[in-house]
Amino acid sequence: MGSYNTSEFRKGLKVQLDGDPFIMIECQFVKPGKGQALYKCKLRNLLRGTVLERTWKSGDSIESADIAEIQAQYLYRQGDEWVFMCNETYEQYELPSTTIDDAWKYLKEGMVCDVMLYNNNPIGITPPNHVVLEVTQADPAVRGNTATNVTKPCTVETGAEIIVPNFVEQGEKIRVDTRTGEYIERVKD
């Protein structure tokens, strides 16, 4: 297994600490007036989701995590399990709802996502940055309420609730940013 030197520390780096995989979500280089340079990092545990802070001295190293990312197609949901299939090996992976987290809001059958594997076990997914979803329920726009940026909640085909501009109607398709959950635009067929 490889390792990273402090000079290679950056946001998004996947490392192993105390036997668990972590991802660096923040990394600051600090040079005090005297003494050695420090690297203050925030790390998120990829198995539990907890966040911890650690400080390393310049020249220290940390073990890299055995994490692979594969392209997998979302097949279906079975109870509390979400089933994905690797596009290259056709191997199927089942992820519990706790691992899927808020990504369920954007998952449509047949969609290709990035699945993170740790020791060949799935530990997380990343849907595409933008998805097109059909609005299944939206209150009608109130006439005369167009002078300002009026928004309203609507329900999309996955069952998620998205805040959209007042002019979006039921049956229309909208593009949503999966990283923020925000409405981007209406999509014409």
Side-chain angles (χ1 to χ4, degrees):
M1 183 124 2
S3 64
Y4 296 108
N5 193 314
T6 49
S7 62
E8 300 172 291
F9 282 12
R10 67 187 184 291
K11 184 178 176 178
L13 195 67
K14 294 171 182 83
V15 298
Q16 186 147 343
L17 277 177
D18 307 322
D20 281 350
F22 284 82
I23 187 167
M24 276 191 192
I25 52 176
E26 201 176 291
C27 188
Q28 277 186 316
F29 174 74
V30 180
K31 178 74 172 116
K34 60 181 183 179
Q36 236 179 344
L38 302 172
Y39 290 83
K40 292 185 176 186
C41 302
K42 275 190 184 178
L43 303 127
R44 183 183 318 112
N45 187 313
L46 290 170
L47 300 177
R48 291 191 273 297
T50 56
V51 175
L52 63 90
E53 293 185 24
R54 286 272 172 99
T55 303
W56 285 274
K57 291 184 223 148
S58 183
D60 286 352
S61 63
I62 188 169
E63 193 176 340
S64 64
D66 182 23
I67 292 181
E69 285 199 26
I70 61 164
Q71 295 268 305
Q73 184 178 10
Y74 169 56
L75 298 178
Y76 57 90
R77 181 178 183 185
Q78 184 175 342
D80 217 24
E81 299 286 317
W82 300 74
V83 181
F84 292 82
M85 179 184 68
C86 177
N87 292 345
E88 293 175 16
T89 63
Y90 304 109
E91 188 174 345
Q92 290 188 6
Y93 298 97
E94 292 183 7
L95 284 92
S97 291
T98 53
T99 304
I100 298 293
D101 203 25
D102 279 348
W104 69 268
K105 295 177 180 180
Y106 316 107
L107 291 178
K108 290 176 20 178
E109 288 184 10
M111 178 181 284
V112 176
C113 302
D114 290 332
V115 176
M116 206 179 318
L117 302 175
Y118 175 65
N119 293 334
N120 215 29
N121 293 321
I123 59 170
I125 69 145
T126 307
N129 291 342
H130 302 110
V131 294
V132 175
L133 300 169
E134 185 175 337
V135 177
T136 56
Q137 191 279 320
D139 294 332
V142 178
R143 190 168 176 180
N145 217 356
T146 58
T148 59
N149 291 339
V150 179
T151 59
K152 63 181 179 184
C154 78
T155 307
V156 293
E157 61 187 292
T158 60
E161 194 170 273
I162 310 281
I163 302 297
V164 297
N166 203 20
F167 56 78
V168 173
E169 295 177 8
Q170 184 172 327
E172 291 186 318
K173 293 188 178 186
I174 60 171
R175 188 177 318 278
V176 178
D177 187 330
T178 61
R179 298 165 293 188
T180 61
E182 294 177 358
Y183 163 88
I184 298 173
E185 64 185 354
R186 281 191 290 192
V187 177
K188 302 284 185 214
D189 287 333

